CSV table of all heavy atoms in Angstrom, one decimal:
chain,number,residue,atom,x,y,z
A,126,ILE,N,90.4,58.3,-91.5
A,126,ILE,CA,90.4,59.4,-90.5
A,126,ILE,C,89.1,60.2,-90.5
A,126,ILE,O,88.6,60.5,-89.4
A,126,ILE,CB,91.6,60.3,-90.7
A,126,ILE,CG1,92.9,59.6,-90.3
A,126,ILE,CG2,91.5,61.6,-89.8
A,126,ILE,CD1,94.2,60.5,-90.6
A,127,SER,N,88.6,60.4,-91.7
A,127,SER,CA,87.3,61.1,-91.7
A,127,SER,C,86.2,60.3,-91.1
A,127,SER,O,85.2,60.9,-90.5
A,127,SER,CB,87.0,61.5,-93.2
A,127,SER,OG,86.8,60.3,-94.0
A,130,LEU,N,86.5,61.0,-87.5
A,130,LEU,CA,86.0,62.3,-87.2
A,130,LEU,C,84.5,62.3,-87.1
A,130,LEU,O,83.9,63.0,-86.3
A,130,LEU,CB,86.5,63.3,-88.3
A,130,LEU,CG,88.0,63.7,-88.3
A,130,LEU,CD1,88.3,64.6,-89.5
A,130,LEU,CD2,88.3,64.4,-87.0
A,134,TYR,N,82.3,63.9,-84.3
A,134,TYR,CA,81.4,65.0,-84.6
A,134,TYR,C,80.0,64.7,-84.2
A,134,TYR,O,79.2,65.5,-83.9
A,134,TYR,CB,81.4,65.3,-86.1
A,134,TYR,CG,82.7,66.0,-86.5
A,134,TYR,CD1,83.1,66.0,-87.9
A,134,TYR,CD2,83.6,66.5,-85.6
A,134,TYR,CE1,84.3,66.6,-88.3
A,134,TYR,CE2,84.8,67.1,-86.0
A,134,TYR,CZ,85.1,67.1,-87.4
A,134,TYR,OH,86.3,67.7,-87.8
A,150,ILE,N,88.1,72.2,-83.6
A,150,ILE,CA,89.4,72.7,-84.0
A,150,ILE,C,90.5,71.8,-83.5
A,150,ILE,O,91.5,71.5,-84.2
A,150,ILE,CB,89.5,74.2,-83.6
A,150,ILE,CG1,88.5,75.0,-84.4
A,150,ILE,CG2,90.9,74.6,-83.9
A,150,ILE,CD1,88.5,76.5,-84.0
A,151,ILE,N,90.4,71.5,-82.2
A,151,ILE,CA,91.4,70.6,-81.6
A,151,ILE,C,91.5,69.3,-82.2
A,151,ILE,O,92.6,68.8,-82.6
A,151,ILE,CB,91.1,70.5,-80.0
A,151,ILE,CG1,91.2,71.9,-79.4
A,151,ILE,CG2,92.1,69.5,-79.4
A,151,ILE,CD1,90.8,71.8,-77.9
A,152,VAL,N,90.3,68.6,-82.4
A,152,VAL,CA,90.3,67.3,-83.0
A,152,VAL,C,90.8,67.4,-84.4
A,152,VAL,O,91.5,66.5,-84.9
A,152,VAL,CB,88.8,66.7,-82.9
A,152,VAL,CG1,88.7,65.5,-83.8
A,152,VAL,CG2,88.4,66.4,-81.5
A,153,LEU,N,90.4,68.4,-85.1
A,153,LEU,CA,90.8,68.6,-86.5
A,153,LEU,C,92.3,68.7,-86.6
A,153,LEU,O,92.9,68.2,-87.5
A,153,LEU,CB,90.1,69.7,-87.2
A,153,LEU,CG,90.3,70.0,-88.7
A,153,LEU,CD1,90.0,68.8,-89.5
A,153,LEU,CD2,89.5,71.2,-89.1
A,154,SER,N,92.9,69.5,-85.7
A,154,SER,CA,94.3,69.7,-85.7
A,154,SER,C,95.1,68.4,-85.5
A,154,SER,O,96.1,68.0,-86.1
A,154,SER,CB,94.7,70.7,-84.7
A,154,SER,OG,94.1,72.0,-84.9
A,155,VAL,N,94.6,67.6,-84.5
A,155,VAL,CA,95.2,66.3,-84.2
A,155,VAL,C,95.1,65.4,-85.4
A,155,VAL,O,96.0,64.7,-85.7
A,155,VAL,CB,94.6,65.7,-82.9
A,155,VAL,CG1,95.1,64.2,-82.7
A,155,VAL,CG2,94.8,66.5,-81.7
A,156,ALA,N,93.9,65.3,-86.0
A,156,ALA,CA,93.7,64.5,-87.2
A,156,ALA,C,94.6,64.9,-88.3
A,156,ALA,O,95.1,64.0,-89.0
A,156,ALA,CB,92.2,64.5,-87.6
A,157,ALA,N,94.7,66.2,-88.5
A,157,ALA,CA,95.6,66.7,-89.6
A,157,ALA,C,97.1,66.3,-89.3
A,157,ALA,O,97.8,65.9,-90.3
A,157,ALA,CB,95.4,68.2,-89.8
A,158,ALA,N,97.5,66.4,-88.1
A,158,ALA,CA,98.8,66.0,-87.7
A,158,ALA,C,99.0,64.5,-88.0
A,158,ALA,O,100.1,64.1,-88.5
A,158,ALA,CB,99.1,66.3,-86.3
A,159,LEU,N,98.1,63.7,-87.6
A,159,LEU,CA,98.2,62.2,-87.8
A,159,LEU,C,98.2,61.9,-89.3
A,159,LEU,O,99.0,61.1,-89.8
A,159,LEU,CB,97.0,61.5,-87.2
A,159,LEU,CG,96.9,60.0,-87.4
A,159,LEU,CD1,98.1,59.3,-86.8
A,159,LEU,CD2,95.6,59.4,-86.8
A,160,PHE,N,97.4,62.6,-90.1
A,160,PHE,CA,97.3,62.4,-91.5
A,160,PHE,C,98.7,62.8,-92.1
A,160,PHE,O,99.2,62.1,-93.0
A,160,PHE,CB,96.2,63.3,-92.1
A,160,PHE,CG,95.8,63.0,-93.5
A,160,PHE,CD1,94.7,63.7,-94.1
A,160,PHE,CD2,96.4,62.0,-94.2
A,160,PHE,CE1,94.3,63.4,-95.3
A,160,PHE,CE2,96.0,61.7,-95.5
A,160,PHE,CZ,94.9,62.4,-96.1
A,161,ALA,N,99.2,64.0,-91.7
A,161,ALA,CA,100.5,64.4,-92.2
A,161,ALA,C,101.7,63.5,-91.8
A,161,ALA,O,102.6,63.3,-92.6
A,161,ALA,CB,100.8,65.8,-91.7
A,162,PHE,N,101.6,62.9,-90.6
A,162,PHE,CA,102.6,62.0,-90.2
A,162,PHE,C,102.7,60.8,-91.1
A,162,PHE,O,103.7,60.3,-91.6
A,162,PHE,CB,102.4,61.6,-88.8
A,162,PHE,CG,103.3,60.5,-88.2
A,162,PHE,CD1,104.5,60.9,-87.7
A,162,PHE,CD2,103.0,59.2,-88.3
A,162,PHE,CE1,105.5,60.0,-87.2
A,162,PHE,CE2,104.0,58.2,-87.9
A,162,PHE,CZ,105.2,58.7,-87.3
A,190,ASP,N,97.0,68.7,-95.5
A,190,ASP,CA,96.0,67.8,-94.9
A,190,ASP,C,95.0,68.5,-94.0
A,190,ASP,O,93.8,68.1,-94.0
A,190,ASP,CB,96.7,66.7,-94.1
A,190,ASP,CG,97.5,65.8,-95.1
A,190,ASP,OD1,97.3,65.7,-96.3
A,190,ASP,OD2,98.5,65.1,-94.5
A,191,PHE,N,95.4,69.5,-93.4
A,191,PHE,CA,94.5,70.3,-92.5
A,191,PHE,C,93.4,71.0,-93.4
A,191,PHE,O,92.2,71.0,-93.1
A,191,PHE,CB,95.2,71.4,-91.8
A,191,PHE,CG,94.4,72.1,-90.8
A,191,PHE,CD1,94.2,71.7,-89.5
A,191,PHE,CD2,93.7,73.3,-91.2
A,191,PHE,CE1,93.3,72.4,-88.6
A,191,PHE,CE2,92.9,74.0,-90.3
A,191,PHE,CZ,92.7,73.5,-89.0
A,194,LEU,N,91.0,68.0,-94.7
A,194,LEU,CA,90.1,67.6,-93.6
A,194,LEU,C,89.2,68.7,-93.1
A,194,LEU,O,88.0,68.5,-92.7
A,194,LEU,CB,90.9,67.0,-92.4
A,194,LEU,CG,91.6,65.7,-92.7
A,194,LEU,CD1,92.4,65.3,-91.4
A,194,LEU,CD2,90.7,64.6,-93.1
Side-chain angles (χ1 to χ4, degrees):
I126 290 176
S127 62
L130 287 177
Y134 291 164
I150 292 174
I151 294 173
V152 170
L153 183 58
S154 300
V155 174
L159 177 61
F160 197 177
F162 177 85
D190 295 339
F191 185 88
L194 291 179

